[in-house]
Amino acid sequence: RSIQAAVNALPAQGGTVCVLAGVYDESVHVHERLNIRIHGCGPRTRVRAVDDDGLPLPAFLITDSSGIAIEDMAIESGPRSAVQIHNSDHVEVRRCLIQMRDEVTIWQAIYSRGDDILIEGNTIEVLVPRDFRPPAGGIGGIGATSGFGSSLPPLLGASNAPASVNTPPKPVYPGTQTRGGIQIAGGSDRVRIVGNLIRGGMWNGITLGSLVEVGSSNPDDDVPDLPPGRDPCEPCAPVDLSDDDDQDPNRPRFVSAGDLYEIDIVDNRI
């Protein structure tokens, strides 16, 4: 049972892959393909990114392709993006629960470099570690006795029952290391980010632009941010590490990977 095998088995003109409920430990690469829709059964379908000989991979990597849709599933990843789109067009990521493992990374949950992209109706958040216990004083607005995830509501009459007045929302795990959110890389055109719920993570909800190393001969060598390791306070929130702050002639220099055009960001909650 493999999503990758199903994608590989589709004819050249494309097709649909229905991913049944269950857990799929794999990283799916859609490369030089046309008109493929991969959809699940909501959060009951969970794809968990894996490593390749210790090298972390995105859960879904879409490269040099057109007309690709990822819909209606839970996607777990980290430290690489849950969904990475590269040099592709007419790609949609819709109605997915995207959860990033709380690990140090420069990658956001969705990283897209392409044209005519739609990112719509997703929930993007930090995966709560199984052994997480809030400290006595709480963390990031989470009380020491708060719970996470799906559970039965308190019974009618309790102060926090759904029928009570002015009840607090369920807590959100903020994370301490992963970035979360969405990044639209340099050179992207006609991108719509619509109706997503983005919560948790230590970086921007939505980041526009990316970097490329000066002198690189590979146009695909864009990166989300400056390489890690220059901030002595990691994994605290990143500080300003612009090129003007470090005059070491041996350090690689980075510039914008390109302008962005026609970016619509509408009705997101961050």
Side-chain angles (χ1 to χ4, degrees), residues 44 80 147 154 156 159 170 199 212 219-221 224 234 238 256-257:
R44 294 184 301 145
R80 289 295 299 269
L156 185 64
S159 61
K170 285 193 174 183
R199 55 191 183 185
V212 64
D220 296 336
D221 257 353
E234 283 181 345
S256 169

Side-chain angles (χ1 to χ4, degrees), residues 54-259:
L55 179 66
L57 299 173
F60 285 93
L61 176 61
I62 302 168
T63 58
D64 304 316
S65 297
S66 181
I68 310 300
I70 310 294
E71 299 174 339
D72 300 304
M73 65 181 69
I75 306 174
E76 175 186 329
S77 192
R80 289 295 299 269
S81 299
V83 179
Q84 182 177 347
I85 302 163
H86 182 74
N87 193 45
S88 298
D89 59 21
H90 298 282
V91 177
E92 299 181 357
V93 182
R94 305 176 66 228
R95 300 185 302 273
C96 291
L97 171 62
I98 296 176
Q99 297 179 312
M100 290 293 286
R101 300 163 189 151
D102 197 14
E103 303 174 8
V104 174
T105 181
I106 62 172
W107 296 91
Q108 294 198 242
I110 297 178
Y111 184 80
S112 176
R113 189 184 190 192
D115 294 344
D116 302 289
I117 307 297
L118 175 62
I119 301 170
E120 180 181 29
N122 304 285
T123 295
I124 301 173
E125 61 185 18
V126 181
L127 186 67
V128 181
R130 293 183 179 179
D131 59 350
F132 175 74
R133 296 292 182 274
I139 177 174
I142 301 173
T145 58
S146 296
F148 300 87
S150 300
S151 61
L152 292 174
L155 296 177
L156 185 64
S159 61
N160 58 343
S164 300
V165 177
N166 195 26
T167 56
K170 285 193 174 183
V172 172
Y173 179 67
T176 60
Q177 300 181 90
T178 193
R179 297 196 172 195
I182 299 169
Q183 184 164 356
I184 305 303
S188 299
D189 304 315
R190 298 176 301 282
V191 178
R192 301 192 71 228
I193 305 172
V194 182
N196 300 281
L197 173 60
I198 303 170
R199 55 191 183 185
M202 57 175 282
W203 199 233
N204 308 310
I206 299 173
T207 300
L208 301 179
S210 60
L211 302 173
V212 64
E213 184 176 340
V214 174
S216 172
S217 58
N218 184 359
D220 296 336
D221 257 353
D222 68 312
V223 293
D225 197 6
L226 296 176
R230 296 176 54 207
D231 180 1
C233 298
E234 283 181 345
C236 300
V239 297
D240 181 5
L241 293 173
S242 59
D243 283 346
D244 292 340
D245 296 333
D246 186 347
Q247 301 302 320
D248 181 359
N250 297 317
R251 183 175 62 83
R253 303 289 167 175
F254 294 87
V255 295
S256 169
D259 295 336

